[in-house]
Amino acid sequence: MLKLLRTLGPLGSLKVCYEAGPTGYGLQRFLEERVGLCGRFAVDGAAAAGRVKTDRRAKAGHFLRSGDLVTIWIPDAATEAIRDLVRARDDARLCERRIRQQLLKFLLRQGRERFTEGVSHWTKTHWSSDSSADV
């Protein structure tokens, strides 16, 4: 990345921007440390001004120079780590729910489902119920 940027001129004189995307904030921090001025912009920043971006790479520099790009807020590393942790926890919860549903359907297909009226699945009462069959 730096090798490519150096071909454009001295790093201190460059103004760098890139489109917000899945690369995360690591690229922004990398460029900020080495180049200095770096902005991360929303995809629709220029489109909101009535322009349609057909060739994003070619027009990003134009929009940066004209001031039409809107810089987005970039969280610090600690805030990003918290966000990642929350996303991972949410993914794990969704996965757990999906696996529980799959397991219940498997047990039902095998005729091993515990039929307990008025008792929620996955509770101690459900598993220790007298009216349920042994699994």
Side-chain angles (χ1 to χ4, degrees):
M1 174 71 67
L2 290 177
K3 184 178 178 181
L4 174 65
L5 290 174
R6 284 189 183 103
T7 63
L8 301 174
L11 293 181
S13 67
L14 294 178
K15 209 173 177 186
V16 179
C17 71
Y18 71 99
E19 185 177 332
T23 57
Y25 302 108
L27 178 59
Q28 190 276 335
R29 289 190 197 102
F30 175 83
L31 291 172
E32 190 73 38
E33 288 174 7
R34 287 154 182 89
V35 178
L37 182 59
C38 177
R40 189 165 191 252
F41 301 94
V43 175
D44 296 329
R51 293 181 175 87
V52 177
K53 291 171 66 174
T54 54
D55 185 0
R56 293 179 181 163
R57 288 178 294 184
K59 292 187 177 184
H62 169 74
F63 289 134
L64 178 63
R65 286 188 301 276
S66 67
D68 289 338
L69 290 178
V70 179
T71 305
I72 63 170
W73 175 72
I74 298 167
D76 59 2
T79 304
E80 185 182 5
I82 295 280
R83 284 174 153 186
D84 286 342
L85 180 63
V86 169
R87 285 187 193 110
R89 182 182 181 276
D90 191 45
D91 289 344
R93 281 182 44 250
L94 293 174
C95 185
E96 178 189 28
R97 183 179 355 169
R98 187 173 49 250
I99 295 298
R100 283 181 173 189
Q101 290 171 345
Q102 290 173 353
L103 180 57
L104 285 174
K105 299 311 172 203
F106 171 77
L107 292 172
L108 182 63
R109 286 191 310 270
Q110 302 299 316
R112 310 281 298 188
E113 171 61 42
R114 294 172 178 243
F115 296 99
T116 54
E117 205 168 310
V119 177
S120 297
H121 291 292
W122 309 108
T123 61
K124 286 182 182 180
T125 307
H126 174 249
W127 290 108
S128 64
S129 175
D130 292 334
S131 63
S132 63
D134 290 328
V135 172

